[in-house]
Amino acid sequence: MRIAILLTLLLLLCPAAYGAEPGKSSPSPATAGRLSMTTATGAFTIDLSLRGDALAPGVNSVDLAVRDKAGKGVGGAKVVVTPWMPSQGHGVWDKPEVTEQGGGKYHVENIKIALEGRWELKVSIRSGAVEDRAVFPFSVGGPGAPAGQVAKPKGYKRAVAYYKLPDVTLLNQDGRRIKLRSLVDAGKPVVVDFIYTTCTTICPILSSEFASITEELGDKAAESVQLISISIDPENDRPEQMKEYLSRYTTGEGWDFLTGSKDDIGKVLRAFDSVVVDKMAHEPILLFHSPGTDEWIRVEGLIGQADLMREFRNVAKR
């Protein structure tokens, strides 16, 4: 009995007894419920605390503490938390509910985890004109992967592609009819993504990536890039919804959100090799195009800020 008690005390007092190596940042199962991460561009630091020791299949909740560069709590921010399962290429339908608790602290309920496996909690923070994001990866159950332990995020896949666009006329967020070919061939670098207005999983992340391009370019954004978001839910996405959606990310020109008939949108998706069987299970895709060429750079998967701007500058300088 005395030996058992001593062994228990050693395990509690010495994390290395679990096999942890000094200097490694991956938490042990005992501390996996408390994680901290700086957002993509360094605007915020997010401390994430799980309610319980780990994410688990079912309904979960977490607490967030958001601090600025000076270490001060960020109150009044718009916080969006998106559960995402990379291996399945989709998230969940029900949106997590975020409640501000004061002092830069937020409580998040209704985080639904459908399956065991690798999941990501994507956290977007918007405070005033500043918006940034972080991705917290987890392993949920499964042999050899303690639930809640941080996993390394997968990289994106890059390929060169050639597309022949259909001669279709679509409708943008202002209700203006636009020929897709004319928009692509307007003499500016082009970046295309595929989203829909009621999406609560990958679409806000993709739109934040577009917003980061315009923020990086500043006042020259409208003349330096043509951003094109194509609705994958044309039957429900109408100009008024699209305009409201874009207002969350931009106030300037140079970003068109396009919808149209189901037939015309289908032609566009097939042309870009981006057909979506289920809008709730679409994958993150970005297409980069340089003016005067037939070549496109196709990026599949989530891409970091530095890689995003590098891909854009590569097509912009041609």
Side-chain angles (χ1 to χ4, degrees):
M1 177 65 72
R2 290 180 180 178
I3 294 174
I5 293 173
L6 286 172
L7 287 173
T8 301
L9 289 172
L10 284 171
L11 289 173
L12 291 172
L13 295 173
C14 303
Y18 285 105
E21 299 179 30
K24 296 294 184 181
S25 59
S26 296
S28 70
T31 61
R34 298 182 298 276
L35 306 172
S36 183
M37 187 175 292
T38 301
T39 52
T41 64
F44 308 107
T45 297
I46 304 173
D47 300 321
L48 182 151
S49 299
L50 294 169
R51 291 287 180 96
D53 292 334
L55 287 182
V59 181
N60 297 258
S61 62
V62 303
D63 290 306
L64 304 177
V66 182
R67 294 175 279 120
D68 60 18
K69 292 180 179 179
K72 183 180 178 181
V74 179
K78 180 179 181 181
V79 178
V80 177
V81 177
T82 304
W84 180 258
M85 195 174 194
S87 64
Q88 300 296 318
H90 63 79
V92 296
W93 180 253
D94 292 328
K95 183 178 179 180
E97 301 166 2
V98 180
T99 304
E100 184 175 3
Q101 298 184 311
K105 296 181 179 180
Y106 302 82
H107 179 62
V108 188
E109 290 278 0
N110 199 40
I111 300 174
K112 293 186 177 180
I113 302 298
L115 302 168
E116 289 188 347
R118 183 174 176 274
W119 283 81
E120 296 172 340
L121 291 185
K122 304 179 188 300
V123 183
S124 173
I125 308 291
R126 184 173 185 177
S127 178
V130 180
E131 184 168 359
D132 210 350
R133 61 195 183 279
V135 178
F136 291 85
F138 293 89
S139 291
V140 178
Q149 182 168 320
V150 172
K152 293 183 179 179
K154 295 180 180 178
Y156 65 91
K157 184 169 68 174
R158 180 184 189 276
V160 177
Y162 298 87
Y163 304 118
K164 183 177 181 181
L165 301 188
D167 186 17
V168 295
T169 299
L170 304 176
L171 204 63
N172 80 350
Q173 69 276 6
D174 296 317
R176 185 160 57 93
R177 296 174 63 81
I178 296 178
K179 285 187 173 294
L180 179 61
R181 287 183 182 175
S182 299
L183 198 60
V184 169
D185 296 333
K188 297 187 291 184
V190 173
V191 189
V192 177
D193 70 3
F194 307 92
I195 63 173
Y196 63 102
T197 59
T198 56
C199 175
T200 61
T201 54
I202 194 62
C203 301
I205 306 299
L206 292 172
S207 297
S208 293
E209 290 175 348
F210 269 23
S212 68
I213 295 176
T214 62
E215 289 170 8
E216 186 84 9
L217 296 174
D219 295 338
K220 297 182 179 179
E223 63 188 64
S224 302
V225 65
Q226 176 62 59
L227 301 175
I228 303 174
S229 293
I230 296 173
S231 171
I232 57 173
D233 188 18
E235 294 177 304
N236 296 302
D237 283 344
R238 308 317 305 157
E240 54 272 21
Q241 286 96 353
M242 299 190 302
K243 191 174 186 69
E244 191 280 329
Y245 180 93
L246 284 188
S247 70
R248 308 173 202 168
Y249 302 95
T250 181
T251 57
E253 299 179 355
W255 185 347
D256 284 276
F257 195 168
L258 302 179
T259 190
S261 69
K262 187 175 181 179
D263 182 59
D264 282 344
I265 291 295
K267 291 177 182 178
V268 173
L269 295 178
R270 287 191 293 273
F272 279 125
D273 192 21
S274 300
V275 172
V276 177
V277 177
D278 180 354
K279 68 180 181 181
M280 292 173 59
H282 72 290
E283 296 183 2
I285 295 173
L286 291 176
L287 304 174
F288 299 81
H289 176 67
S290 181
T293 73
D294 295 327
E295 184 179 287
W296 292 77
I297 302 300
R298 182 185 181 94
V299 168
E300 298 179 1
L302 294 178
I303 185 171
Q305 173 76 8
D307 291 327
L308 174 72
M309 293 310 301
R310 181 170 63 252
E311 294 291 355
F312 169 73
R313 291 192 179 99
N314 282 342
V315 299
K317 69 183 180 182
R318 293 184 183 182

